[in-house]
Amino acid sequence: LLRPPQPRPLAGKRILITAGPTHEPIDPVRYIANRSSGKQGFAIAAAAQAAGADVILVSGPVDLDDPSGVTVKHVESARDMLQQVEASLPADIAIFAAAVADWRVANAGEQKLKKTGSGMPPLQLVENPDILATISKLGEKRPPLVIGFAAETEHLIDNARAKLARKGCDWIVANDVSPATGVMGGDRNTVHLLTRDGADINVDSWPVMTKEQVATELVARIASTVEKVS
Ligand code: CTP
Ligand code: CA
C-alpha cells in the first residue's frame, strides 16, 4: 500500500530539546533527583521528527526508548546537560522540557558517605546553572524560537508569566504538577501556552490531553509560527 506523503512542515529545521530529570550526585552511590519521567519531552521530540525536523534530544536519566530518527545525548547532571546543549548549537528552535534539578551537592563525597553515629552528613547545596535562561540570553547563537516549561503546584499562570519575563524565552508551556494531577510520571497533561504578543502576554489554555497530543499541538503551533517568520 502506498501511503500519501506526510506533511513535513519542519523540514530543514534543527530542533534542540531537553527532557527528563537530572541526577545530582551525593556520593558515588546516591543522588538527588525528581519525579520527571521524560515522557513529555520525548513525545515532543518524536512529533518534531515526524514533522520533518532534525531533532537533537538531550535527556537526563529516563526509562524510555530513544525515539527513532532522533539524535539522543544522554546526560546525568544539570551541568552535563548544559554542556551538551551548548555543544548542540546552533539550532532554529530550542525546547526546554527537562525538570532540571535546581540544586546540586557542593560537597559530594568521593567515597560512599558512612554513618558516624554523630548525626547527619552536612550536605551543602548550591544552585545549578539555569540552562533555559543561559540559552535565552545568548547573543548571536540564541535560537530564534526558545520555549520553556513552567512546572508549578500553585499560582500557575502568575508564576508562568513571571518566568517568561525572568528567563527571556519566547514561549512558556505552563503545567500544573500538583500530586493530584498525576502529571509527573503520568500520561496526561493540562497545559497553558503563554506567548508574547507585543508587550502583552497571550495565554492559550488547552483541554486535558495525552502527552502525545500536547506534543503534536505544540509542534503544529511551532510550524505555523516558523512559516510566518521565514
Ligand atoms: N530550567 C533549566 N535549567 C534549570 C532550571 C530550569 O533549563 N537549572 C528550565 C526548565 O527546563 C523549564 C524552565 O526552566 O523549561 C522552568 O523550570 P522550573 O523548574 O519551572 O523553573 P525555575 O526557574 O527552576 O523555578 P522554580 O523551580 O523555583 O519554580
Ligand atoms: Ca526548578
Side-chain angles (χ1 to χ4, degrees):
L1 268 171
L2 270 180
R3 277 205 255 151
Q6 298 300 302
R8 291 166 62 83
L10 293 179
K13 300 291 176 196
R14 190 173 153 92
I15 305 197
L16 174 59
I17 300 169
T18 69
T22 63
H23 285 184
E24 308 297 329
I26 295 171
D27 66 21
V29 299
R30 305 185 179 98
Y31 55 82
I32 296 177
N34 61 62
R35 297 185 190 281
S36 169
S37 65
K39 284 177 191 168
Q40 186 63 78
F42 273 56
I44 295 167
Q49 196 276 336
D54 280 329
V55 182
I56 302 104
L57 175 61
V58 181
S59 176
V62 293
D63 192 15
L64 299 171
D65 293 333
D66 290 356
S68 68
V70 169
T71 303
V72 187
K73 299 182 178 183
H74 293 278
V75 299
E76 294 268 332
S77 69
R79 287 193 294 178
D80 299 342
M81 186 174 275
L82 175 60
Q83 201 178 9
Q84 288 301 324
V85 163
E86 285 175 330
S88 303
L89 293 174
D92 299 296
I93 298 140
I95 307 170
F96 295 91
V100 183
D102 290 326
W103 303 282
R104 69 175 179 276
V105 180
N107 59 335
E110 301 234 335
Q111 305 298 332
K112 184 184 166 195
L113 302 181
K114 302 297 287 177
K115 288 179 286 187
T116 60
S118 59
M120 311 285 200
L123 295 184
Q124 287 159 25
L125 299 181
V126 287
E127 212 166 295
N128 269 327
D130 189 318
I131 304 168
L132 169 62
T134 303
I135 301 307
S136 292
K137 288 165 190 170
L138 286 177
E140 257 175 35
K141 275 194 161 182
R142 183 193 192 276
L145 180 59
V146 178
I147 305 172
F149 272 69
E152 307 291 346
T153 58
E154 59 178 359
H155 312 304
L156 178 63
I157 303 294
D158 283 351
N159 284 343
R161 278 175 186 277
K163 249 170 217 175
L164 185 63
R166 189 169 78 238
K167 305 268 186 172
C169 56
D170 302 302
W171 299 0
I172 286 262
V173 181
N175 63 349
D176 184 341
V177 294
S178 322
T181 64
V183 168
M184 289 303 255
D187 293 320
R188 285 169 190 279
N189 208 351
T190 309
V191 310
H192 307 261
L193 181 65
L194 281 74
T195 55
R196 291 176 195 276
D197 182 8
D200 293 339
I201 290 172
N202 192 59
V203 182
D204 226 348
S205 296
W206 299 352
V208 59
M209 291 181 205
T210 65
K211 289 181 177 177
E212 285 74 21
Q213 288 169 326
V214 168
T216 305
E217 202 57 45
L218 185 65
V219 165
R221 285 287 292 252
I222 292 169
S224 65
T225 302
V226 164
E227 220 162 72
K228 269 182 237 153
V229 296
S230 57

PDB file of all heavy atoms in Angstrom, residues 78-101:
ATOM      1  N   ALA A  78      22.800  18.420  35.794  1.00  0.00           N
ATOM      2  CA  ALA A  78      22.445  19.685  35.142  1.00  0.00           C
ATOM      3  C   ALA A  78      23.646  20.279  34.406  1.00  0.00           C
ATOM      4  O   ALA A  78      23.513  20.801  33.299  1.00  0.00           O
ATOM      5  CB  ALA A  78      21.941  20.682  36.191  1.00  0.00           C
ATOM      6  N   ARG A  79      24.816  20.177  35.025  1.00  0.00           N
ATOM      7  CA  ARG A  79      25.996  20.757  34.378  1.00  0.00           C
ATOM      8  C   ARG A  79      26.345  20.008  33.094  1.00  0.00           C
ATOM      9  O   ARG A  79      26.717  20.621  32.098  1.00  0.00           O
ATOM     10  CB  ARG A  79      27.162  20.837  35.356  1.00  0.00           C
ATOM     11  CG  ARG A  79      26.918  21.953  36.393  1.00  0.00           C
ATOM     12  CD  ARG A  79      28.160  22.288  37.183  1.00  0.00           C
ATOM     13  NE  ARG A  79      28.566  21.173  38.018  1.00  0.00           N
ATOM     14  CZ  ARG A  79      29.655  21.178  38.785  1.00  0.00           C
ATOM     15  NH1 ARG A  79      30.440  22.243  38.805  1.00  0.00           N
ATOM     16  NH2 ARG A  79      29.946  20.147  39.520  1.00  0.00           N
ATOM     17  N   ASP A  80      26.188  18.671  33.107  1.00  0.00           N
ATOM     18  CA  ASP A  80      26.398  17.888  31.873  1.00  0.00           C
ATOM     19  C   ASP A  80      25.375  18.291  30.813  1.00  0.00           C
ATOM     20  O   ASP A  80      25.690  18.379  29.624  1.00  0.00           O
ATOM     21  CB  ASP A  80      26.194  16.383  32.118  1.00  0.00           C
ATOM     22  CG  ASP A  80      27.165  15.809  33.126  1.00  0.00           C
ATOM     23  OD1 ASP A  80      28.205  16.451  33.382  1.00  0.00           O
ATOM     24  OD2 ASP A  80      26.862  14.723  33.672  1.00  0.00           O
ATOM     25  N   MET A  81      24.129  18.512  31.264  1.00  0.00           N
ATOM     26  CA  MET A  81      23.065  18.865  30.314  1.00  0.00           C
ATOM     27  C   MET A  81      23.383  20.196  29.633  1.00  0.00           C
ATOM     28  O   MET A  81      23.276  20.325  28.410  1.00  0.00           O
ATOM     29  CB  MET A  81      21.703  18.899  31.027  1.00  0.00           C
ATOM     30  CG  MET A  81      20.530  19.109  30.090  1.00  0.00           C
ATOM     31  SD  MET A  81      18.920  18.985  30.919  1.00  0.00           S
ATOM     32  CE  MET A  81      18.637  17.220  30.866  1.00  0.00           C
ATOM     33  N   LEU A  82      23.792  21.187  30.433  1.00  0.00           N
ATOM     34  CA  LEU A  82      24.148  22.484  29.853  1.00  0.00           C
ATOM     35  C   LEU A  82      25.268  22.338  28.822  1.00  0.00           C
ATOM     36  O   LEU A  82      25.208  22.907  27.732  1.00  0.00           O
ATOM     37  CB  LEU A  82      24.569  23.471  30.955  1.00  0.00           C
ATOM     38  CG  LEU A  82      25.075  24.836  30.454  1.00  0.00           C
ATOM     39  CD1 LEU A  82      24.015  25.573  29.633  1.00  0.00           C
ATOM     40  CD2 LEU A  82      25.545  25.717  31.615  1.00  0.00           C
ATOM     41  N   GLN A  83      26.260  21.543  29.167  1.00  0.00           N
ATOM     42  CA  GLN A  83      27.401  21.352  28.269  1.00  0.00           C
ATOM     43  C   GLN A  83      26.957  20.738  26.929  1.00  0.00           C
ATOM     44  O   GLN A  83      27.359  21.202  25.863  1.00  0.00           O
ATOM     45  CB  GLN A  83      28.401  20.431  28.965  1.00  0.00           C
ATOM     46  CG  GLN A  83      29.806  20.531  28.440  1.00  0.00           C
ATOM     47  CD  GLN A  83      30.738  19.608  29.227  1.00  0.00           C
ATOM     48  OE1 GLN A  83      30.296  18.777  30.042  1.00  0.00           O
ATOM     49  NE2 GLN A  83      32.021  19.733  28.979  1.00  0.00           N
ATOM     50  N   GLN A  84      26.109  19.716  26.998  1.00  0.00           N
ATOM     51  CA  GLN A  84      25.636  19.060  25.768  1.00  0.00           C
ATOM     52  C   GLN A  84      24.712  19.973  24.965  1.00  0.00           C
ATOM     53  O   GLN A  84      24.715  19.928  23.735  1.00  0.00           O
ATOM     54  CB  GLN A  84      24.918  17.743  26.091  1.00  0.00           C
ATOM     55  CG  GLN A  84      25.848  16.629  26.531  1.00  0.00           C
ATOM     56  CD  GLN A  84      26.908  16.297  25.479  1.00  0.00           C
ATOM     57  OE1 GLN A  84      26.649  16.338  24.275  1.00  0.00           O
ATOM     58  NE2 GLN A  84      28.114  15.991  25.920  1.00  0.00           N
ATOM     59  N   VAL A  85      23.929  20.791  25.661  1.00  0.00           N
ATOM     60  CA  VAL A  85      23.054  21.743  24.963  1.00  0.00           C
ATOM     61  C   VAL A  85      23.916  22.752  24.207  1.00  0.00           C
ATOM     62  O   VAL A  85      23.705  23.007  23.013  1.00  0.00           O
ATOM     63  CB  VAL A  85      22.106  22.448  25.971  1.00  0.00           C
ATOM     64  CG1 VAL A  85      21.497  23.710  25.377  1.00  0.00           C
ATOM     65  CG2 VAL A  85      21.005  21.482  26.413  1.00  0.00           C
ATOM     66  N   GLU A  86      24.914  23.308  24.889  1.00  0.00           N
ATOM     67  CA  GLU A  86      25.784  24.299  24.232  1.00  0.00           C
ATOM     68  C   GLU A  86      26.512  23.685  23.040  1.00  0.00           C
ATOM     69  O   GLU A  86      26.644  24.311  21.987  1.00  0.00           O
ATOM     70  CB  GLU A  86      26.771  24.893  25.246  1.00  0.00           C
ATOM     71  CG  GLU A  86      26.069  25.879  26.180  1.00  0.00           C
ATOM     72  CD  GLU A  86      26.966  26.430  27.297  1.00  0.00           C
ATOM     73  OE1 GLU A  86      27.889  25.706  27.722  1.00  0.00           O
ATOM     74  OE2 GLU A  86      26.711  27.565  27.739  1.00  0.00           O
ATOM     75  N   ALA A  87      26.946  22.421  23.200  1.00  0.00           N
ATOM     76  CA  ALA A  87      27.676  21.743  22.122  1.00  0.00           C
ATOM     77  C   ALA A  87      26.759  21.423  20.940  1.00  0.00           C
ATOM     78  O   ALA A  87      27.239  21.141  19.845  1.00  0.00           O
ATOM     79  CB  ALA A  87      28.318  20.464  22.647  1.00  0.00           C
ATOM     80  N   SER A  88      25.439  21.447  21.160  1.00  0.00           N
ATOM     81  CA  SER A  88      24.488  21.094  20.097  1.00  0.00           C
ATOM     82  C   SER A  88      24.011  22.306  19.300  1.00  0.00           C
ATOM     83  O   SER A  88      23.278  22.151  18.326  1.00  0.00           O
ATOM     84  CB  SER A  88      23.270  20.389  20.700  1.00  0.00           C
ATOM     85  OG  SER A  88      23.682  19.246  21.416  1.00  0.00           O
ATOM     86  N   LEU A  89      24.401  23.500  19.722  1.00  0.00           N
ATOM     87  CA  LEU A  89      24.008  24.710  18.985  1.00  0.00           C
ATOM     88  C   LEU A  89      24.848  24.820  17.716  1.00  0.00           C
ATOM     89  O   LEU A  89      25.924  24.224  17.663  1.00  0.00           O
ATOM     90  CB  LEU A  89      24.202  25.947  19.862  1.00  0.00           C
ATOM     91  CG  LEU A  89      23.271  26.036  21.077  1.00  0.00           C
ATOM     92  CD1 LEU A  89      23.643  27.231  21.950  1.00  0.00           C
ATOM     93  CD2 LEU A  89      21.808  26.141  20.644  1.00  0.00           C
ATOM     94  N   PRO A  90      24.419  25.517  16.704  1.00  0.00           N
ATOM     95  CA  PRO A  90      23.204  26.321  16.625  1.00  0.00           C
ATOM     96  C   PRO A  90      21.957  25.467  16.372  1.00  0.00           C
ATOM     97  O   PRO A  90      22.043  24.344  15.918  1.00  0.00           O
ATOM     98  CB  PRO A  90      23.477  27.237  15.422  1.00  0.00           C
ATOM     99  CG  PRO A  90      24.371  26.430  14.537  1.00  0.00           C
ATOM    100  CD  PRO A  90      25.222  25.616  15.471  1.00  0.00           C
ATOM    101  N   ALA A  91      20.803  26.063  16.694  1.00  0.00           N
ATOM    102  CA  ALA A  91      19.515  25.423  16.421  1.00  0.00           C
ATOM    103  C   ALA A  91      18.518  26.513  16.023  1.00  0.00           C
ATOM    104  O   ALA A  91      18.689  27.667  16.388  1.00  0.00           O
ATOM    105  CB  ALA A  91      19.027  24.685  17.662  1.00  0.00           C
ATOM    106  N   ASP A  92      17.500  26.114  15.280  1.00  0.00           N
ATOM    107  CA  ASP A  92      16.450  27.065  14.888  1.00  0.00           C
ATOM    108  C   ASP A  92      15.434  27.241  16.008  1.00  0.00           C
ATOM    109  O   ASP A  92      14.844  28.302  16.183  1.00  0.00           O
ATOM    110  CB  ASP A  92      15.736  26.555  13.632  1.00  0.00           C
ATOM    111  CG  ASP A  92      16.698  26.433  12.455  1.00  0.00           C
ATOM    112  OD1 ASP A  92      17.217  27.484  12.033  1.00  0.00           O
ATOM    113  OD2 ASP A  92      16.961  25.306  12.006  1.00  0.00           O
ATOM    114  N   ILE A  93      15.220  26.151  16.744  1.00  0.00           N
ATOM    115  CA  ILE A  93      14.214  26.148  17.807  1.00  0.00           C
ATOM    116  C   ILE A  93      14.785  25.351  18.982  1.00  0.00           C
ATOM    117  O   ILE A  93      15.417  24.311  18.772  1.00  0.00           O
ATOM    118  CB  ILE A  93      12.914  25.479  17.312  1.00  0.00           C
ATOM    119  CG1 ILE A  93      12.318  26.272  16.129  1.00  0.00           C
ATOM    120  CG2 ILE A  93      11.876  25.331  18.427  1.00  0.00           C
ATOM    121  CD1 ILE A  93      11.752  25.423  15.035  1.00  0.00           C
ATOM    122  N   ALA A  94      14.581  25.850  20.203  1.00  0.00           N
ATOM    123  CA  ALA A  94      15.016  25.091  21.386  1.00  0.00           C
ATOM    124  C   ALA A  94      13.839  24.972  22.344  1.00  0.00           C
ATOM    125  O   ALA A  94      13.137  25.959  22.604  1.00  0.00           O
ATOM    126  CB  ALA A  94      16.198  25.772  22.057  1.00  0.00           C
ATOM    127  N   ILE A  95      13.620  23.756  22.837  1.00  0.00           N
ATOM    128  CA  ILE A  95      12.502  23.490  23.745  1.00  0.00           C
ATOM    129  C   ILE A  95      13.050  22.834  25.015  1.00  0.00           C
ATOM    130  O   ILE A  95      13.640  21.757  24.954  1.00  0.00           O
ATOM    131  CB  ILE A  95      11.463  22.551  23.087  1.00  0.00           C
ATOM    132  CG1 ILE A  95      11.025  23.103  21.723  1.00  0.00           C
ATOM    133  CG2 ILE A  95      10.253  22.348  24.007  1.00  0.00           C
ATOM    134  CD1 ILE A  95      10.177  22.125  20.902  1.00  0.00           C
ATOM    135  N   PHE A  96      12.850  23.505  26.154  1.00  0.00           N
ATOM    136  CA  PHE A  96      13.447  23.038  27.402  1.00  0.00           C
ATOM    137  C   PHE A  96      12.380  22.381  28.276  1.00  0.00           C
ATOM    138  O   PHE A  96      11.746  23.037  29.086  1.00  0.00           O
ATOM    139  CB  PHE A  96      14.148  24.206  28.098  1.00  0.00           C
ATOM    140  CG  PHE A  96      15.318  24.703  27.291  1.00  0.00           C
ATOM    141  CD1 PHE A  96      15.165  25.720  26.355  1.00  0.00           C
ATOM    142  CD2 PHE A  96      16.550  24.096  27.418  1.00  0.00           C
ATOM    143  CE1 PHE A  96      16.230  26.144  25.580  1.00  0.00           C
ATOM    144  CE2 PHE A  96      17.626  24.513  26.640  1.00  0.00           C
ATOM    145  CZ  PHE A  96      17.464  25.540  25.719  1.00  0.00           C
ATOM    146  N   ALA A  97      12.198  21.077  28.057  1.00  0.00           N
ATOM    147  CA  ALA A  97      11.178  20.334  28.797  1.00  0.00           C
ATOM    148  C   ALA A  97      11.752  19.595  29.997  1.00  0.00           C
ATOM    149  O   ALA A  97      11.008  18.973  30.750  1.00  0.00           O
ATOM    150  CB  ALA A  97      10.479  19.351  27.856  1.00  0.00           C
ATOM    151  N   ALA A  98      13.067  19.659  30.183  1.00  0.00           N
ATOM    152  CA  ALA A  98      13.679  18.913  31.290  1.00  0.00           C
ATOM    153  C   ALA A  98      13.280  19.499  32.638  1.00  0.00           C
ATOM    154  O   ALA A  98      13.090  20.705  32.778  1.00  0.00           O
ATOM    155  CB  ALA A  98      15.204  18.923  31.160  1.00  0.00           C
ATOM    156  N   ALA A  99      13.157  18.618  33.625  1.00  0.00           N
ATOM    157  CA  ALA A  99      12.974  19.034  35.021  1.00  0.00           C
ATOM    158  C   ALA A  99      14.368  19.043  35.652  1.00  0.00           C
ATOM    159  O   ALA A  99      14.774  18.079  36.305  1.00  0.00           O
ATOM    160  CB  ALA A  99      12.037  18.081  35.740  1.00  0.00           C
ATOM    161  N   VAL A 100      15.091  20.117  35.379  1.00  0.00           N
ATOM    162  CA  VAL A 100      16.482  20.212  35.835  1.00  0.00           C
ATOM    163  C   VAL A 100      16.502  20.396  37.350  1.00  0.00           C
ATOM    164  O   VAL A 100      15.746  21.218  37.882  1.00  0.00           O
ATOM    165  CB  VAL A 100      17.169  21.433  35.168  1.00  0.00           C
ATOM    166  CG1 VAL A 100      18.630  21.514  35.579  1.00  0.00           C
ATOM    167  CG2 VAL A 100      17.026  21.372  33.647  1.00  0.00           C
ATOM    168  N   ALA A 101      17.352  19.648  38.043  1.00  0.00           N
ATOM    169  CA  ALA A 101      17.477  19.838  39.494  1.00  0.00           C
ATOM    170  C   ALA A 101      17.972  21.253  39.761  1.00  0.00           C
ATOM    171  O   ALA A 101      18.919  21.714  39.129  1.00  0.00           O
ATOM    172  CB  ALA A 101      18.454  18.819  40.076  1.00  0.00           C
TER     173      ALA A 101
END
